[in-house]
């Protein structure tokens, strides 16, 4: 992980220099007038987003105002709740299930979806405690039954765990006693401070907690892989600039940074 971080940092510096020097050509392919964009992104893409937005602003001349919230659910700061309150955005980045729901509700421009990266669910415990085994379906089932407390997100990954995986593994009854559905906070923070023994969330939302030991992803047979995608918001006056930003976030040039944050980028960087 340290090596990945170093590589990402080097790539960030090279990419930043390249894009800033080439700002005129980048602008030529998008909106030529500097714009102020309002973007909301969900948790799984947050780390990549935070690294990429300063590069984009420097290269494009646009200003990006950022908000953050869960892809699904009714927490006050979730993306669906914020749309329901009438908050205005130009671009939204969230799980494919959340995006499909917003599109069905008429919140997004039809056909504007642009997949950015694929995410997987992983698990973590506090550093220094025994590492439970989740390497096979049976081992995962046993670990879930034996854990004293299990934290999972109230967003896309948690919805899958609680409605699909736990019933499938026959541990639903046990998790009614030991499960902790986490609202408006990263699962890693809950595990890090000792409020849960075991935590499940998108890999990109777990790996940055230094207090945690990342123990791996769910077995392939029961893994949920989700696209995190961008969509243009219906009624936005900055749709061209928003589309420009979405294409940047998907581009092969930024793929190494996206991968280093625990996601599988849709567009890979060219081989060297």
């Amino acid at each position: 992980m340290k090596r990945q971080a170093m590589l990402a940092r080097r790539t960030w510096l090279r990419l930043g220099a390249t894009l800033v020097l080439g700002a005129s050509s980048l602008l030529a392919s998008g909106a030529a007038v500097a714009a102020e964009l309002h973007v909301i992104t969900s948790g799984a893409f947050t780390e990549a987003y935070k690294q990429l937005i300063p590069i984009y602003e420097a290269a494009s001349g646009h200003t990006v105002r950022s908000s953050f919230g869960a892809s699904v659910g009714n927490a006050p700061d979730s993306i669906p709740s914020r749309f329901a309150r009438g908050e205005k955005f130009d671009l939204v980045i969230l799980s494919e299930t959340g995006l499909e729901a917003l599109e069905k509700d008429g919140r997004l421009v039809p056909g504007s979806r642009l997949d950015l990266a694929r995410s997987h669910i992983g698990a973590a415990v506090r550093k220094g405690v025994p590492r439970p085994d989740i390497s096979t379906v049976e081992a995962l089932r046993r670990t879930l039954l034996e854990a004293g407390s299990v934290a999972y997100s109230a967003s896309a990954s948690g919805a899958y765990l609680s409605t699909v995986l736990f019933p499938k593994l026959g541990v639903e009854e046990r998790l009614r006693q030991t499960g902790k559905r986490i609202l408006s906070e990263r699962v890693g923070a809950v595990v890090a401070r000792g409020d849960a023994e075991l935590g499940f969330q998108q890999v990109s939302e777990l790996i940055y907690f230094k207090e945690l030991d990342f123990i791996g992803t769910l077995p392939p047979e029961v893994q949920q892989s989700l696209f995190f995608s961008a969509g243009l918001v219906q009624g936005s006056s900055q749709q061209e600039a928003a589309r420009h930003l979405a294409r940047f976030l998907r581009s092969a040039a930024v793929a190494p940074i996206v991968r280093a944050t625990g996601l599988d980028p849709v567009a890979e960087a060219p081989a060297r």
Side-chain angles (χ1 to χ4, degrees):
M1 195 62 65
K2 286 183 179 178
R3 184 172 179 274
Q4 278 187 321
M6 288 176 62
L7 289 173
R9 175 63 178 168
R10 290 172 188 162
T11 302
W12 193 98
L13 292 171
R14 289 199 302 270
L15 181 61
T18 300
L19 291 181
V20 171
L21 289 172
S24 59
S25 62
L26 184 65
L27 282 170
S29 66
V33 178
E36 181 174 280
L37 291 169
H38 292 260
V39 181
I40 187 163
T41 183
S42 60
F45 200 73
T46 294
E47 294 299 334
Y49 177 89
K50 286 181 175 178
Q51 292 187 40
L52 293 172
I53 289 302
I55 301 174
Y56 180 78
E57 289 181 315
S60 68
H62 298 330
T63 300
V64 181
R65 305 297 183 198
S66 303
S67 299
F68 305 91
S71 290
V72 299
N74 56 6
D77 61 349
S78 73
I79 293 174
S81 295
R82 297 179 78 155
F83 270 94
R85 285 198 301 270
E87 293 189 39
K88 303 297 183 184
F89 302 101
D90 301 301
L91 186 72
V92 61
I93 302 168
L94 72 172
S95 69
E96 58 185 282
T97 51
L99 186 142
E100 288 164 2
L102 287 181
E103 191 172 40
K104 185 177 179 181
D105 201 31
R107 305 285 188 181
L108 305 182
V109 175
S112 68
R113 169 178 170 174
L114 193 65
D115 295 332
L116 306 179
R118 191 184 287 275
S119 180
H120 307 283
I121 300 172
V125 294
R126 290 184 77 185
K127 280 188 176 174
V129 307
R131 290 169 57 96
D133 185 5
I134 63 166
S135 61
T136 66
V137 174
E138 182 52 38
L140 172 63
R141 180 178 181 276
R142 189 165 52 249
T143 290
L144 287 168
L145 289 172
E146 293 174 355
S149 54
V150 178
Y152 57 90
S153 170
S155 192
S157 62
Y160 166 74
L161 292 172
S162 60
T163 63
V164 178
L165 183 60
F166 295 161
K168 181 176 182 177
L169 296 181
V171 300
E172 188 176 20
E173 192 61 39
R174 171 65 175 166
L175 268 295
R176 284 200 185 100
Q177 303 169 37
T178 60
K180 295 175 177 282
R181 184 171 174 267
I182 307 304
L183 291 164
S184 304
E185 185 177 22
R186 288 194 175 184
V187 168
V190 176
V191 178
R193 65 173 178 259
D195 289 345
E197 292 178 14
L198 177 64
F200 291 89
Q201 200 165 23
Q202 307 290 349
V203 172
S204 58
E205 298 184 72
L206 288 174
I207 61 176
Y208 284 91
F209 285 90
K210 293 184 286 188
E211 308 91 339
L212 300 184
D213 188 2
F214 180 71
I215 60 175
T217 55
L218 297 180
E221 303 94 316
V222 294
Q223 178 62 262
Q224 183 200 48
S225 295
L226 281 178
F227 280 117
F228 277 75
S229 310
L232 303 181
V233 178
Q234 194 74 266
S236 164
S237 62
Q238 300 290 353
Q239 288 188 5
E240 193 55 42
R243 184 180 289 109
H244 189 231
L245 171 56
R247 288 173 178 165
F248 167 82
L249 295 173
R250 178 193 165 95
S251 67
V254 307
I257 293 176
V258 174
R259 179 170 290 285
T261 65
L263 297 166
D264 293 336
V266 169
E268 291 290 352
R272 294 184 180 273

